Amino acid sequence: MAMNDAGQPIRAFVQLSYGYGATTWHARWQEGRILGLNEEYAYGYLRASEPGFTVTQSEDAPEGVPGRLVRYSVRLLLGFDFIHAWRNRAAIFASDVVWTHTESQSLAVQLLLRLFPRRRHPRTIAQSVWLIDRWSTESRKNRFVFRNLLSRADILTFLSPCNMAQAASLFPDQRVVLMEFGIRIDEMIARPPHSPAPGTPVRVLSLGNDRHRDWTTLLQATSDLPCQVTVATTDRAARRTLATAAHVTLATLSNNTELFDLYDQADLVVVPVGPNQHASGITAIQEATARGVPVIATDVGGLRHYFGDDAIRYVPVGDAPALARAITELAADPAAQATMVAHAQQRMRDSLNSRAYVARHVALSRDLLSSARVRAASSPSPVPHRHPTVYPQAGTV
């Protein structure tokens, strides 16, 4: 059983965005106010607790209007939420290793550590989701600051092989790791494939709020098909555009019963996305798969790393005719639907689930702390040189 330097269980701390604090999230989860196949605690990180390894999570400090204005102002100035990390500084410094979920918290934690150079620093596994996508559009100042801060992290993790590859060139001296994301599958179900009766419209469901959703291509592809499209999104601009299409129904969801009903009534789920590098749409694909619904998705952003052609029907970016053909052909082929869903669900059972996701964090943490002890014992240098390393997880990139 691996222990920390004091002979105690390894202490991992997860710094998440404001609003995702352990107490806040769990209360909302118990009230059924978090839509989707979610965890009792955000992203399932607390599943990592095991003998010899403890996990705690950031908390959301109560804040009134003045406190919120200060936090937002600092976030606007820096480009990340430093005040939230500052409020959790005691737990951060008390840990052996810190995990973050997005670049905002990764950058905030690194700045916090930089401000206290004489204190004992935990090791850091710093994850980024959208940063690499927008790197070229960031100001020169931001790129300088962000690069300087992230270069101090022990490991940089990414959810897609696309942004991981670019990050490896931006941070050549860092250890860069592909961290396959997975959701809760405790209630994964199998269902008979849906094949609409002759003359019955195909029931297409599409969900998501990511700015890379390609609603235009979805509308073009389905405008002349015998189908009824239901879209669930909170994007106001997208809703205004979609509301003009007679064959589109906009869903407003308030609980998971309504969400799961949409999945259960759908013949197909379509995840249309535009060019991106961060596996946009992966959560929607995994949720649909867990509910037993076959998925058509745009072949972009590294999604193919997660699911191969035997599990998902892929179409090229922005290709409305190809998407229309995919909908028509798959809806008419129940056997293909059943085979695809079976392969996709097996992939999720094997490695694309929240338990596997946090287990990879635990393995990296143990390796990181063990390697640090070995280096400390063999070298008088307090700051070992970092060699460039790319450490992809299993799967087809």
Side-chain angles (χ1 to χ4, degrees), residues 31-35 251-259:
E31 295 166 1
R33 293 192 289 124
I34 301 178
L35 294 179
T252 300
L253 302 174
S254 59
N255 56 60
N256 275 334
T257 298
E258 295 172 352
L259 173 63

Side-chain angles (χ1 to χ4, degrees), residues 246-394:
H247 67 294
V248 173
T249 299
L250 291 173
T252 300
L253 302 174
S254 59
N255 56 60
N256 275 334
T257 298
E258 295 172 352
L259 173 63
F260 295 155
D261 282 346
L262 288 184
Y263 278 123
D264 296 343
Q265 294 167 13
D267 298 316
L268 307 170
V269 164
V270 175
V271 183
V273 291
N276 74 93
Q277 299 185 78
H278 67 271
S280 175
I282 189 57
T283 302
I285 291 173
Q286 291 186 6
E287 282 193 355
T289 296
R291 297 300 295 182
V293 190
V295 176
I296 299 170
T298 310
D299 188 8
V300 69
L303 293 177
R304 190 180 290 274
H305 169 87
Y306 283 85
F307 295 98
D309 288 315
D310 63 343
I312 301 294
R313 176 70 180 265
Y314 288 108
V315 296
V317 176
D319 192 334
L323 178 55
R325 287 194 301 272
I327 292 171
T328 301
E329 293 169 3
L330 189 57
D333 193 342
Q337 294 179 35
T339 300
M340 286 172 51
V341 171
H343 286 147
Q345 289 192 339
Q346 189 59 52
R347 173 83 166 113
M348 291 185 68
R349 291 189 191 95
D350 290 342
S351 60
L352 296 182
N353 57 73
S354 55
R355 288 188 182 275
Y357 175 68
V358 298
R360 284 188 276 272
H361 282 79
V362 172
L364 282 175
S365 300
R366 292 188 186 278
D367 177 63
L368 187 60
L369 294 169
S370 176
S371 299
R373 284 194 292 270
V374 169
R375 286 195 298 265
S378 62
S379 172
S381 173
V383 183
H385 176 71
R386 292 190 175 102
H387 296 280
T389 306
V390 178
Y391 187 87
Q393 301 294 334

Side-chain angles (χ1 to χ4, degrees), residues 111-131:
L111 178 57
L112 177 68
L113 299 182
R114 186 72 65 87
L115 293 177
F116 294 91
R118 297 184 181 278
R119 293 193 64 170
R120 170 193 168 277
H121 286 187
R123 296 290 172 168
T124 53
I125 299 177
Q127 187 155 279
S128 295
V129 178
W130 303 281
L131 180 62

Side-chain angles (χ1 to χ4, degrees), residues 169-237:
S169 65
L170 291 172
F171 301 92
D173 294 326
Q174 297 300 105
R175 186 178 179 187
V176 180
V177 174
L178 177 61
M179 186 66 71
E180 290 178 336
F181 179 70
I183 66 169
R184 176 187 179 95
I185 62 167
D186 300 53
E187 299 86 18
M188 188 159 65
I189 64 173
R191 69 168 207 183
H194 287 195
S195 187
T200 304
V202 180
R203 293 169 296 184
V204 173
L205 174 63
S206 194
L207 313 92
N209 306 312
D210 191 292
R211 65 187 180 90
H212 288 100
R213 285 296 190 275
D214 185 4
W215 303 117
T216 299
T217 297
L218 177 66
L219 284 179
Q220 292 174 348
T222 57
S223 60
D224 294 326
L225 294 183
C227 68
Q228 179 60 48
V229 179
T230 300
V231 175
T233 181
T234 58
D235 186 315
R236 293 181 180 179

